[in-house]
Amino acid sequence: MVVDTEKSTAAKTALRQALAACGGNTKDKTVIAAIENLQSLNPTTAPTHSGSLMDSEWLLISAPNFPQGEQLADGRYAYTLSRLAFNMFQPTKLKVVIDRVFQPVFLLGNGEQRTHDIVVEFTTIDESVPQLSGIIRNQGICQPVSDTVLQVQFTGGILTPQSATKMNEWKAVFGEQGKSKKTSWQDSLMSGFLKLMFGLVPPQTMSPETGEVSFVMNRSPKGRLEILYLDEELRITRGEKGTVLVCERL
C-alpha cells in the first residue's frame, strides 16, 4: 500500500488531540471518527504477521479498559485492586490509581506465538494504608488466526513492588495472600466459579526477598483481538466486546 505520509501524520495528530480532549475515551464520537480515518490509511496489510512492527513495548494512551473504573480530577483512573487482575490479589478492595499501562510484545520462539502481557503500574490511594507503588503483570500469549486477528489467552499474574524502599510497608499491606477473608456469598460463588472454569491457582505466599506474589491460570479462555491499525508509531486494537485501545510505541 502506498502511504501518504502527510495524511497519516495529520490523522495521527488528530487522534491524539481527540483522545486528550475526552480523557482517552475511545467511545467518543470524535475519537471514533479519527480512528476510522486512520484505519483508511493503514500501511500494514497483514499486521499479525508483521513481526518487526508487532514487537515492541506498547504504551496505552487511551483510557484503561478494566471494569468499574473511576476517572479522577487529574485525569487518571482509579480502581480497586481486584479489578486489575481477575480478583486474585489481596486486599481486593484496596483503592489504587493507575500511573500507566504498557504491553511488551515479543516473539517467544515458538512459531508466531508472542507475549501478550498487560503491565499495570499503580499507586495506592487508600487512606487506610501508606502510599505504595506496585506493578501488576497479567501474563498472556497471542498468535495469529488471520492477517488481522490474534488469538489471546492469559496464563497468570504477578504482583510486585516498584522498588524495595518501602518493603516492610509493602509486606504489611500485601502479605496476606491466600488467607481466608470475609466475602459476600456472591463473591465467594464467583471466586469458586473462576477457579473451576479457568483452573486458577490463587497466590499463596509472598517472596520475603522481593515482595512478589503470583497466581497461575491453567485453563484460560481464548479470546480474539483485531488489529485495526499498525505502523512504526501506533497500534490500535479492538477486542471481542468492542473495546478499542490505542497504544504508542515506547
Side-chain angles (χ1 to χ4, degrees):
M1 177 179 178
V2 177
V3 181
D4 188 322
T5 305
E6 192 172 316
K7 278 188 177 181
S8 294
T9 300
K12 284 185 275 193
T13 299
L15 174 57
R16 286 190 170 99
Q17 290 174 343
L19 287 169
C22 68
N25 179 14
T26 53
K27 294 181 180 178
D28 179 86
K29 290 182 179 179
T30 305
V31 172
I32 291 172
I35 289 174
E36 289 177 348
N37 182 40
L38 195 54
Q39 267 187 274
S40 70
L41 302 169
N42 191 354
T44 311
T45 55
T48 64
H49 299 294
S50 301
S52 60
L53 289 177
M54 284 271 290
D55 294 350
S56 189
E57 298 252 355
W58 293 98
L59 177 68
L60 183 68
I61 60 173
S62 57
N65 67 321
F66 302 104
Q68 298 180 352
E70 172 195 2
Q71 190 172 17
L72 304 180
D74 63 6
R76 294 184 300 170
Y77 285 82
Y79 296 85
T80 60
L81 187 67
S82 66
R83 298 303 175 188
L84 302 184
F86 304 98
N87 205 36
M88 282 289 101
F89 295 122
Q90 297 182 31
T92 56
K93 303 300 182 186
L94 183 72
K95 289 189 69 176
V96 303
V97 65
I98 289 181
D99 299 316
R100 68 171 188 163
V101 179
F102 65 96
Q103 188 170 41
V105 178
F106 296 106
L107 191 66
L108 287 172
N110 182 17
E112 288 189 282
Q113 195 174 76
R114 284 177 160 77
T115 59
H116 192 78
D117 296 0
I118 297 174
V119 182
V120 184
E121 296 179 351
F122 69 86
T123 301
T124 61
I125 54 170
D126 201 308
E127 294 179 358
S128 65
V129 303
Q131 188 177 79
L132 298 166
S133 294
I135 301 170
I136 286 178
R137 178 183 289 264
N138 289 307
Q139 297 169 298
I141 54 176
C142 66
Q143 59 190 40
V145 293
S146 75
D147 286 346
T148 58
V149 177
L150 294 168
Q151 175 183 280
V152 176
Q153 66 183 121
F154 291 98
T155 59
I158 300 170
L159 169 67
T160 186
Q162 287 195 36
S163 73
T165 56
K166 295 183 178 180
M167 188 59 72
N168 288 336
E169 291 95 331
W170 177 270
K171 290 177 180 178
V173 174
F174 298 103
E176 298 297 307
Q177 305 298 326
K179 295 188 178 180
S180 61
K181 59 186 185 297
K182 290 183 178 179
T183 59
S184 67
W185 67 268
Q186 293 100 327
D187 286 344
S188 296
L189 186 65
M190 179 56 69
S191 177
F193 173 77
L194 291 175
K195 289 176 185 177
L196 180 66
M197 287 294 294
F198 300 158
L200 281 167
V201 181
Q204 299 300 318
T205 57
M206 173 181 284
S207 166
E209 292 82 19
T210 65
E212 178 181 299
V213 291
S214 61
F215 71 91
V216 176
M217 190 181 294
N218 290 313
R219 293 189 298 274
S220 168
K222 296 178 175 66
R224 295 203 169 195
L225 187 73
E226 183 182 4
I227 300 180
L228 303 179
Y229 184 89
L230 180 67
D231 70 2
E232 294 82 0
E233 292 180 58
L234 293 180
R235 187 191 71 184
I236 305 174
T237 60
R238 180 168 56 212
E240 287 183 323
K241 295 182 179 179
T243 301
V244 174
L245 298 176
V246 183
C247 293
E248 66 180 11
R249 196 182 302 270
L250 284 175

